[in-house]
Amino acid sequence: MKTKVYYLDEKNINTKALDEAAAVIRQGGTVIFPTETVYGLGANALDEKSVSRIFEAKGRPSDNPLIVHISNYDMLLYCIGEPLSEKAQKLIAYFWPGPLTIIFKKSKGIPKEVTAGLDTVAIRMPDDEIALSLIKKSGVPIAAPSANISGKPSPTAPEHVIMDMVNRVDVILCTSNTRVGVESTVIDISGETPLVLRPGGVTLEELREVLGEVEVDESIEEPGITPKSPGMKYIHYAPKAPMAIIRGGEIKVREKILELSKKEKDKGLKVGVLTVDENKESYGDYEVISIGSKEDSNQAAHNLFDALREFDKLMVDVIYAEAISENYLGLAVMNRMKKAAGFNIIEV
Ligand code: TXA
Ligand code: MG
């Protein structure tokens, strides 16, 4: 398959490329497009054959359901098989368009390939002009997972998408790096207490402000428990090198990383350290990448996936990462870091 790649200027969107991409979606093809979270790999969500091409392109297990992206409320009503609850209306009013995915009962219009056989469907309205225009011009909701090869970090920059996906999809629409940098928050509001199935771009603090009590699915922290969100069970976001997270008091964390790194270096191995701006001078002997100031979880979210891919480019043999605080976007960042590390956490 030959991929057509277009670079779009957000301030002056090339409508020709968008028209072509929308026609590709209507004809059953695949299009990679930017969203505010990460790049998505989209196809017509109402057509099972189109959807199967997504799984093929990503090498994704077909028991992992997809998020359906919409551009207006008619599309939402077409996709769901229940009246809009009060909680749903509130969430939509506060957070759409934006990085929040809501689980609904699915309508008959959504093929089972999209939902991996579940009777629920995950829906979001992205906060990105290119994504919204593409959906609008296509005239159909677009099913789209993150546009990475299954298991790799999600793509947040055009070069990530090009690296993974050229000649696996029909069209790639590139623009600048994505704003948020981690995927959307997935929330289930079907029970008494709303449950976050995947932490992401909308924070737990923001959700609690709007809904009151909100819990986090505990299985996302405990690798032994089967998560309610099927996608959370796979190894994910993994850089090529094994990674360990060091968590504890700041001084002890630094000492531990220096101790472990020296051991590996003495064996002749190349060590990567994932840290924050405030600490990056401490690890001079190693390949150091900072995800931004420790005071700013937005920066950490924006930079994490690129940092993980950078370590691949540097061809390090092992990565030690400082844990960051789990407030605000830190919850999503630490969730992705834990998965990248296969839950290998060293407490000090
Ligand atoms: O920010 C995002 O959400 C990006 C952009 C492209 O929109 N998309 C994304 O999709 O991250 P993906 O496929 O990589 O992750 C979808 C997550 C998975 O954890 C999946 O299991 C969960 O949503 N999910 C989808 N449908 C579900 C359902 N019916 N019930 C529970 N979880 C569901
Ligand atoms: Mg993904």
Side-chain angles (χ1 to χ4, degrees):
M1 176 188 294
K2 184 117 183 62
T3 302
K4 280 197 177 167
V5 180
Y6 294 104
Y7 285 85
L8 302 187
D9 179 352
E10 282 146 290
K11 292 191 196 78
N12 181 18
I13 299 176
N14 169 353
T15 47
K16 253 196 163 157
L18 265 179
D19 287 341
E20 187 182 329
V24 164
I25 293 280
R26 277 196 303 276
Q27 288 154 15
T30 45
V31 174
I32 290 179
F33 59 96
T35 81
E36 79 280 32
T37 56
V38 302
Y39 279 82
L41 195 177
N44 180 353
L46 306 183
D47 176 54
E48 57 191 67
K49 238 177 144 188
S50 308
V51 169
S52 71
R53 297 197 177 104
I54 296 176
F55 289 95
E56 236 167 77
K58 274 188 67 110
R60 176 174 172 123
S62 60
D63 65 342
N64 191 0
L66 305 175
I67 294 172
V68 173
H69 297 67
I70 58 166
S71 62
N72 64 46
Y73 297 100
D74 286 342
M75 280 187 185
L76 173 66
L77 297 178
Y78 184 82
C79 295
I80 67 178
E82 61 175 325
L84 270 187
S85 67
E86 204 178 305
K87 281 182 193 135
Q89 289 181 35
K90 264 192 177 167
L91 289 175
I92 288 168
Y94 275 89
F95 299 112
W96 279 9
L100 182 71
T101 295
I102 307 173
I103 309 291
F104 295 97
K105 286 242 145 41
K106 86 173 194 67
S107 73
K108 290 205 179 73
I110 299 291
K112 62 180 189 319
E113 285 72 12
V114 171
T115 65
L118 298 174
D119 60 2
T120 53
V121 60
I123 302 186
R124 88 176 188 100
M125 188 186 285
D127 185 17
D128 180 281
E129 276 313 310
I130 295 172
L132 289 172
S133 311
L134 176 67
I135 303 165
K136 208 180 284 167
K137 282 176 186 272
S138 306
V140 290
I142 295 183
S146 48
N148 50 289
I149 303 269
S150 212
K152 278 215 203 181
S154 299
T156 54
E159 58 267 27
H160 301 163
V161 173
I162 305 280
M163 186 105 85
D164 279 13
M165 287 297 174
V166 164
N167 297 343
R168 288 172 170 263
V169 296
D170 295 305
V171 174
I172 297 179
L173 300 176
C174 284
T175 181
S176 48
N177 289 19
T178 59
R179 176 167 54 82
V180 179
V182 291
E183 303 87 340
S184 62
T185 301
V186 179
I187 191 166
D188 177 353
I189 47 174
S190 63
E192 181 77 7
T193 308
L195 194 61
V196 168
L197 306 185
R198 176 177 74 177
V202 169
T203 65
L204 191 57
E205 290 84 348
E206 289 170 314
L207 289 168
R208 285 183 174 149
E209 245 173 63
V210 171
L211 292 181
E213 202 185 344
V214 178
E215 296 294 340
V216 179
D217 182 9
E218 58 190 33
S219 64
I220 67 171
E221 293 301 314
E222 300 283 335
I225 304 175
T226 306
K228 293 204 174 63
S229 187
M232 298 299 279
K233 72 175 182 255
Y234 299 103
I235 294 178
H236 250 126
Y237 314 118
K240 291 199 181 100
M243 172 165 153
I245 298 171
I246 325 298
R247 183 164 63 188
E250 203 169 323
I251 293 169
K252 282 198 168 154
V253 165
R254 188 178 319 140
E255 281 171 4
K256 189 71 183 176
I257 292 180
L258 287 170
E259 174 202 320
L260 291 168
S261 301
K262 179 157 191 322
K263 266 191 205 150
E264 300 295 343
K265 195 178 180 205
D266 289 348
K267 284 191 246 165
L269 297 180
K270 194 168 179 184
V271 178
V273 177
L274 188 63
T275 181
V276 290
D277 287 351
E278 290 82 350
N279 299 345
K280 67 182 178 201
E281 307 300 332
S282 312
Y283 305 107
D285 289 348
Y286 309 106
E287 301 295 339
V288 180
I289 299 180
S290 166
I291 48 174
S293 167
K294 68 176 176 190
E295 309 293 340
D296 187 350
S297 60
N298 292 334
Q299 278 183 27
H302 184 78
N303 294 327
L304 177 70
F305 289 140
D306 187 60
L308 294 178
R309 284 177 183 256
E310 241 357 86
F311 282 125
D312 284 353
K313 275 200 234 155
L314 291 167
M315 297 200 292
V316 297
D317 299 299
V318 57
I319 301 166
Y320 295 114
E322 292 179 346
I324 67 162
S325 134
E326 300 198 10
N327 298 328
Y328 307 104
L329 283 183
L331 184 67
V333 171
M334 277 300 291
N335 171 261
R336 307 307 188 267
M337 270 173 54
K338 286 174 194 169
K339 297 182 81 176
F343 290 91
N344 181 12
I345 303 171
I346 301 169
E347 306 279 355
V348 291

